[in-house]
Amino acid sequence: MTNFLLEVGTEELPASFLSSAVKQWKQRIPQSLQAHNLTSDAVEVYGTPRRLAVLITNLPAQQPDKEEEIKGPPAQAAFKDGKPTPAASGFAKKQGVDVADFEIRPTEKGEFIFVRKKTPGRPVAEILTEFVKEWIFSLEGKRLMRWGDGDVKFSRPIRWLVALLDDAVLPIELDNGSEVIRSDRLTHSHRVLHPQPVTIPHASDYLTTLRSAFVIVDADERANTIKQQVLSSVQNLDGHAEIYPDLLEEVTNLVEFPSAVVGKFEADFLELPTEVITTVMVSHQRYFPVFKGENSKELLSYFVTISNGDPAKSDIVAVGNERVIRARLADGKFFYDSDLKKPLESFLPQLEKVTFQEDLGSVRAKVERICENAEIITAKLQLSQEETSNIQRAALLCKADLVSQMVYEFPELQGIMGEKYAAKSGESPEVARAIFEHYLPRNAGDDLPQTLTGQIVGLADRLDTLVSIFGLGMIPTSSSDPFALRRAANAIVNITWFGNLAINLQELIEEIASNFATAYNKDGEKLGTALKDFFLQRIRTLLQEEKSIDYDLVNAVLGENDPEYAERALKDLLDVRDRALFLQEIRSDGTLDKIYETVNRSTRLAAQGDLDFIQLNPTVAVNPELFQKASEEALLNGLIQLVPETESAKRSRNYRQLVSALEKIAPAVSNFFDGAESVLVMDSNPEIKRNRLHLLGLLRNHARVLADFGAVVKNL
């Protein structure tokens, strides 16, 4: 068994590319080995800003021999008068065997030629040599670059290559125009702490060799080191450093030998909003902010930065970083003080100069559409005058901070500064909070707006974006969604579910689409249809992925190509959510199995009848004079008793009541099909047949109040 080390040495890689590349190699390299029938004990992928490496332990020295059986042409075509035909000769040549090696065997389609082919395994060194270039240049990333006079593309220029099979260098060359990078056992270590190259004697010595040269190649180890250093460095400050996961990952990929450095800034800057200070620290400087306590939101005038330099020079590093953050915070204070000199509403005219989208006009025009949408939603929800007034005010001001000096400099603070400035301008707490909340959720896993005002303004904003961009024909594709329309639609559904808002999304889409079509001379009906289909896709995805509903149960509540269910889902998002969750619940507790056969068998047969999907009243659809068996009468009586239960369940959305009623009617259905008084549904008399199919159709219709049981898969 043998160990293999590959290290690709580069100029400093972007942290985002490094993180992605490590993940790609962790997936692709084991797949490559498996595809060539190579086993190993472990595939460890490492990365630092200057290198990407993989260490594969206990590989076989030789690929196993491969034996396979290959089916050839029919025997009748392969031999004529006992002699091989061109078909036989061609097959033998292709497989590298003699005609004498053929075996003739009978199959279901007659006799065929078979051969057993043994392919000797190749030396693992030979295979790895082929793998290396594929592994390196198949990596995907943004803004890959060329360098020198070659055509090689990578995130940053490749400067050295280490390829060791145990203690031997595996000869590999990377050609890039006039430059040739040849594999070696020499690697480069820490730029400052160990500027000399180091030699790796054996593949298994990789981690220890680089550690001795002040490079920690294991990202998890670097992250843990950073976390421990940051937390311990602020203990004597009586503070707590906040470890943001995204920041920790980024900083981990920016250093090779981390050392935490504590810096300080003037306490006067703490008068700025906390979000401004933390944005400067985290997003711009990659610092860890220090708070008074673990759960405190009150900042101390300290920060922790992670240095990749000499720990002995920490004091100098601290002074340099203090100078930088002091300047950034001074800018922030200037912007903040300048913005506060006028009320938030006074920023509105400037929105005329900010383009939302070339064909849709300014952000100010978008604000007007948001206000119109908010008015439509509040009217449909029949909200109070106070609630309506707050929503309209928040809708008007929701984008005003975009033209403030602070948000222009720090775009991450949009909405956050809007809330601050609204409060300072004398707006109500409800309006101020909604200006921030209408952006929520900003990404997957983010908080949802908690206030009704924030929820409605958020819906109005996203509906405008969806209708407007769809109206221009810029519909997302599988690979492109530049306006994040999927995220916007997901947010609309999730906000509605979270706030339990009784919104008829179908009506909203149709009305807003119609308004847009009138203003921009578009086909409103076509636009509405496209948006409704888009939302149905998002509802389906959210139910399966976020609510963990089985795919067949999602099909059952949304229908498979069933317009009635699709329309019902869009008209009542709360109902489709509740029905899906309830179906998953009764599958888990076994109740679904108890009614499955009863409903599903009836549903399948009822499809051969002509009863519509709406009728629930047996007295309208069934003629008792056509009954021939007592089981028919019993089923009719059961259906009559089912009507009030179903109607009550529809009104209250208490679907447990409906399922209990279906359980009660199950014995009558079973007797109708298989009991002593069973009937032949498909009777030769067309009137009797139609009558019996109507009985089953009625049962199907009652069950359809909950779901399309024809889509449910038994015992999934």
Side-chain angles (χ1 to χ4, degrees), residues 6 273 301 323 355 370 423 495 515 520 663:
L6 170 67
S301 56
R323 187 183 303 116
T355 301
I370 293 172
I495 290 170
N515 292 344
Y520 289 86
E663 285 186 84

Side-chain angles (χ1 to χ4, degrees), residues 66 302 383 439 451 594:
K66 181 180 179 181
Y302 296 96
L383 300 180
Y439 284 106
T451 67
K594 296 177 183 178

Side-chain angles (χ1 to χ4, degrees), residues 143-187:
R143 295 182 291 276
L144 299 182
M145 62 179 289
R146 294 186 178 91
W147 64 96
D149 58 357
D151 294 325
V152 167
K153 294 178 68 177
F154 202 66
S155 179
R156 290 294 183 270
I158 298 173
R159 295 309 188 197
W160 75 89
L161 191 68
V162 175
L164 291 179
L165 201 58
D166 285 336
D167 59 353
V169 174
L170 191 65
I172 299 171
E173 291 186 355
L174 301 181
D175 296 321
N176 186 34
S178 60
E179 179 184 7
V180 179
I181 302 168
R182 295 181 175 86
S183 59
D184 201 342
R185 63 175 71 250
L186 282 177
T187 185

